[in-house]
Amino acid sequence: MARLFHVPLSPYCRKVRLSLAEKKIEVELVEERYWEQDPDFLRRNPAGKVPVLRLDGQVMAESAAICEYIEETRPEPPLMPKKPEARYEVRRLVGWFDDKFHHEVTSRLLYERVNKKVTGEGYPDSKNVKAGAKAIKYHLDYMAWLLDHRRWLAGDQMTLADFAAAAHLSALDYISDVDWNRSQAVKDWYAKIKSRPAFRSILADQVPGFRPPPHYADLDF
Amino acid sequence: MARLFHVPLSPYCRKVRLSLAEKKIEVELVEERYWEQDPDFLRRNPAGKVPVLRLDGQVMAESAAICEYIEETRPEPPLMPKKPEARYEVRRLVGWFDDKFHHEVTSRLLYERVNKKVTGEGYPDSKNVKAGAKAIKYHLDYMAWLLDHRRWLAGDQMTLADFAAAAHLSALDYISDVDWNRSQAVKDWYAKIKSRPAFRSILADQVPGFRPPPHYADLDF
């Protein structure tokens, strides 16, 4: 069986979990305290990060590379469109969320509030939290703008771009950092993706010391 | 003709330039002072970053997505292998350099020494420069380890992984921050990639206020 070394609230791990679940690939989840840099773990991934996936007899790291590999070896159901222009747009948006959104929002909210506590690095820096809370508004508006003329973020089908975005937003929703009232279009999009069977394991996550808000796992939030 | 909005020492722009040149796609280079956040430029890329490429009537951003698009629409000569396992390894290494190497090395050396001056943000932070100078040694050793049993970084053929690595290293070489004596294998690899016609435009770059060392453009360095 596939095995994923992960931490529950990592958006990169969640993106891989969503891909695996959507493709109906069974996986054993193993929580990895990657920040302790255990030598066994570093052998699996010299970059010292999660996710790390064991699949098809290989050990793989880097969530974008992993998701492309899953897509190439298990094309059904497709999480990438066929045309190069449309594939470009998916990859652009995956980069948008995993790079820009991560840098401006996730690292300033989730990492400040949760990771610092879990890894013993101390207290949240309120300047960062404030900047993250401001930046997420701009990103939600950008998503609303995309969804104004598209069914899903990258076009008419659900793709890895939706999973990348939902991975970040679901982790932030766990700590009540998403204002779902800002955009009906974004809320509807999230309700749609949240109700997929692939999302179940993510909605069942529990992080000791952090209790999610009641709406976190509610499909009619 | 294709048009690339870029800055000369950006490793992400250099990776795209190398891909375009290797595929013999003619491109007009336009220097973009992206940090000034000109509204026209932000319309082309709301992320406000370079590279931005105009090709096939589209405007594209995010270097990884751009390079995959070029590969899919111009497969010859190939910069990606055929097998999913090998393609995974290329993408993992592109991620390694564009994420980890960038974070640990490029942002601490190139951005401190050059970008801060160019954008008027002030002087290099010596703590960062020191940390970057230390980290590059570890990365050169990792490359040497890969090249110990491979002709190119990701395997037996030259791929986007080599271009990603060469893009970062060439930009750092421009400011004399690469110790080529650390590993003969890495030096030989760089000599090989540097001598390709695709590299010519990069070796001809000139940044006002920063003069490259004599060996920068020397193929027998």
Side-chain angles (χ1 to χ4, degrees):
Chain A
M1 200 204 283
R3 177 180 283 188
L4 184 72
F5 299 90
H6 82 130
V7 296
L9 294 185
S10 152
Y12 303 107
C13 296
R14 287 184 162 208
K15 184 179 58 173
V16 172
R17 287 164 71 193
L18 288 169
S19 284
L20 290 167
E22 192 71 24
K23 307 272 186 184
K24 302 208 167 41
I25 305 167
E26 270 197 82
V27 64
E28 180 195 353
L29 296 178
V30 180
E31 276 198 50
E32 177 65 54
R33 298 168 69 84
Y34 63 89
W35 57 92
E36 293 176 356
Q37 304 274 301
D38 173 68
D40 267 356
F41 181 65
L42 285 176
R43 220 172 3 253
R44 283 191 288 267
N45 180 16
K49 297 185 302 184
V50 287
V52 168
L53 176 67
R54 206 172 62 192
L55 179 68
D56 300 341
Q58 293 181 83
V59 174
M60 296 185 280
E62 291 290 333
S63 70
I66 291 173
C67 289
E68 295 265 6
Y69 174 84
I70 295 172
E71 191 62 26
E72 291 183 351
T73 54
R74 279 91 170 164
E76 293 300 328
L79 292 173
M80 285 284 274
K82 290 261 181 293
K83 289 192 186 155
E85 295 73 21
R87 296 165 70 82
Y88 156 74
E89 180 65 356
V90 172
R91 291 181 177 125
R92 178 186 76 84
L93 285 169
V94 171
W96 177 283
F97 288 100
D98 284 349
D99 180 21
K100 187 175 171 71
F101 187 97
H102 175 263
H103 181 70
E104 295 174 358
V105 181
T106 311
S107 69
R108 287 167 169 167
L109 294 175
L110 188 71
Y111 291 11
E112 288 291 340
R113 287 197 213 274
V114 179
N115 297 35
K116 271 192 170 177
K117 187 171 170 192
V118 171
T119 62
E121 279 170 276
Y123 295 98
D125 176 331
S126 64
K127 219 172 60 194
N128 277 345
V129 171
K130 214 179 234 173
K134 191 175 162 198
I136 194 175
K137 292 181 188 171
Y138 156 78
H139 281 279
L140 290 172
D141 292 349
Y142 181 60
M143 291 175 70
W145 178 80
L146 290 174
L147 291 166
D148 188 39
H149 53 290
R150 294 174 177 178
R151 281 191 61 214
W152 296 92
L153 288 174
D156 278 344
Q157 69 175 96
M158 188 184 70
T159 66
L160 284 173
D162 299 288
F163 283 0
H168 284 272
L169 287 175
S170 64
L172 292 166
D173 194 35
Y174 189 96
I175 53 169
S176 306
D177 267 339
V178 185
D179 173 11
W180 295 112
N181 291 322
R182 190 165 179 91
S183 154
Q184 191 61 41
V186 175
K187 192 178 178 181
D188 291 347
W189 163 85
Y190 190 61
K192 219 163 38 169
I193 203 162
K194 196 175 174 179
S195 66
R196 298 189 79 81
F199 231 83
R200 271 179 214 150
S201 120
I202 278 172
L203 299 181
D205 278 340
Q206 293 288 344
V207 181
F210 296 89
R211 188 197 292 272
H215 75 258
Y216 173 73
D218 182 1
L219 299 187
D220 292 317
F221 65 115
Chain B
M1 201 204 285
R3 176 181 283 190
L4 183 73
F5 300 89
H6 83 129
V7 295
L9 293 186
S10 153
Y12 303 108
C13 296
R14 287 185 163 208
K15 184 179 59 174
V16 172
R17 288 164 71 191
L18 288 169
S19 285
L20 290 167
E22 192 70 24
K23 308 270 186 184
K24 302 207 167 44
I25 305 166
E26 271 196 82
V27 63
E28 179 195 354
L29 296 178
V30 180
E31 276 199 50
E32 178 64 54
R33 299 170 67 84
Y34 63 89
W35 58 92
E36 293 177 354
Q37 304 276 301
D38 173 68
D40 267 355
F41 180 65
L42 285 175
R43 219 172 6 252
R44 282 190 289 266
N45 179 17
K49 297 185 303 184
V50 287
V52 167
L53 176 66
R54 207 172 63 191
L55 179 68
D56 299 340
Q58 292 181 84
V59 175
M60 297 185 281
E62 290 290 332
S63 69
I66 291 174
C67 289
E68 295 266 5
Y69 174 84
I70 295 173
E71 191 62 24
E72 292 184 351
T73 53
R74 279 92 169 163
E76 295 299 330
L79 291 173
M80 285 285 275
K82 291 259 180 294
K83 290 193 185 155
E85 296 73 21
R87 296 164 70 81
Y88 155 75
E89 181 65 356
V90 172
R91 291 180 176 124
R92 178 186 76 84
L93 285 170
V94 171
W96 177 284
F97 287 101
D98 283 349
D99 180 21
K100 187 176 173 70
F101 187 97
H102 175 261
H103 181 69
E104 296 174 358
V105 182
T106 311
S107 69
R108 288 167 169 166
L109 294 176
L110 188 72
Y111 291 12
E112 289 292 340
R113 289 199 213 271
V114 179
N115 297 36
K116 272 191 168 175
K117 187 172 172 193
V118 171
T119 63
E121 280 170 275
Y123 294 98
D125 176 332
S126 64
K127 220 172 59 194
N128 278 345
V129 171
K130 215 180 234 176
K134 193 176 160 195
I136 194 174
K137 293 182 188 170
Y138 157 79
H139 281 278
L140 290 172
D141 291 349
Y142 181 60
M143 291 175 71
W145 178 80
L146 290 173
L147 291 166
D148 188 39
H149 53 291
R150 295 175 177 177
R151 281 190 61 214
W152 295 92
L153 287 174
D156 277 345
Q157 68 175 98
M158 188 184 69
T159 66
L160 284 173
D162 299 289
F163 283 0
H168 283 272
L169 286 176
S170 64
L172 292 166
D173 193 35
Y174 189 96
I175 54 168
S176 306
D177 266 340
V178 185
D179 173 11
W180 295 112
N181 291 322
R182 191 165 177 90
S183 153
Q184 190 61 41
V186 175
K187 191 176 178 183
D188 290 347
W189 163 85
Y190 190 61
K192 219 162 40 168
I193 203 163
K194 196 175 175 180
S195 66
R196 298 190 77 83
F199 230 82
R200 270 179 214 150
S201 119
I202 279 173
L203 299 182
D205 277 341
Q206 293 288 344
V207 181
F210 296 89
R211 186 198 293 270
H215 75 258
Y216 173 74
D218 181 1
L219 299 187
D220 292 316
F221 66 115

